[in-house]
Amino acid sequence: MKQQRQGGFTLIELMIVVAIIGILAAVALPAYQDYVKRAHASEGLSMSNGVKTAVMEFWSIQGTFPTSNTDVGIQPAADYANNAVSSIAVGADGVITVTFNQKFGNQTITLTPTSTGTNTSGMLKWACTSSETNKSALPDTCRGT
């Protein structure tokens, strides 16, 4: 009788496949972490859009910038807490500070309004700065130059 050899993978072939998967995971994991952080930062910026609108309305009516959430008639800062955001606060000169929880490393994003004219004829431009040092974890609008 003729002996049949069983087909299958050798141990070395399996070890090579495991090594390749490990290398791919090591490369993909940091990119995925940046993606998740950028999604959390975008969530905070998206939530701040309503606050930005309230600041712009206050500025166009009053001719000055508000100094608190109460000035613009929005809920207290801590009431904005959700998945990644701890609070959204309006401060001096209409500056909006989005504070994140541990999902974004307890960092902050600051939106600073700048008037391009008078309250009746101008517009507001928003500058975005962050305490996050890893710029690739920030949305494009906050990365700066």
Side-chain angles (χ1 to χ4, degrees), residues 9 12 33 41 67 88 91 124:
F9 295 107
I12 194 74
Q33 289 172 336
T67 58
I88 300 178
L124 291 182

Side-chain angles (χ1 to χ4, degrees), residues 7-96:
F9 295 107
T10 65
L11 180 60
I12 194 74
E13 290 171 330
L14 292 174
M15 289 174 64
I16 290 171
V17 169
V18 169
I20 291 171
I21 291 172
I23 291 168
L24 290 173
V27 170
L29 192 59
Y32 178 72
Q33 289 172 336
D34 282 349
Y35 168 77
V36 170
K37 283 187 90 172
R38 194 167 34 255
H40 290 314
S42 294
E43 175 185 351
L45 289 178
S46 176
M47 289 177 62
S48 71
N49 284 337
V51 179
K52 283 169 59 175
T53 301
V55 168
M56 288 186 282
E57 286 176 1
F58 185 93
W59 174 75
S60 68
I61 293 168
Q62 302 292 331
T64 60
F65 288 113
T67 58
S68 69
N69 289 28
T70 306
D71 284 353
V72 292
I74 59 173
Q75 58 196 11
D79 286 357
Y80 287 95
N82 75 346
N83 182 41
V85 175
S86 293
S87 66
I88 300 178
V90 176
D93 297 325
V95 174
I96 299 170

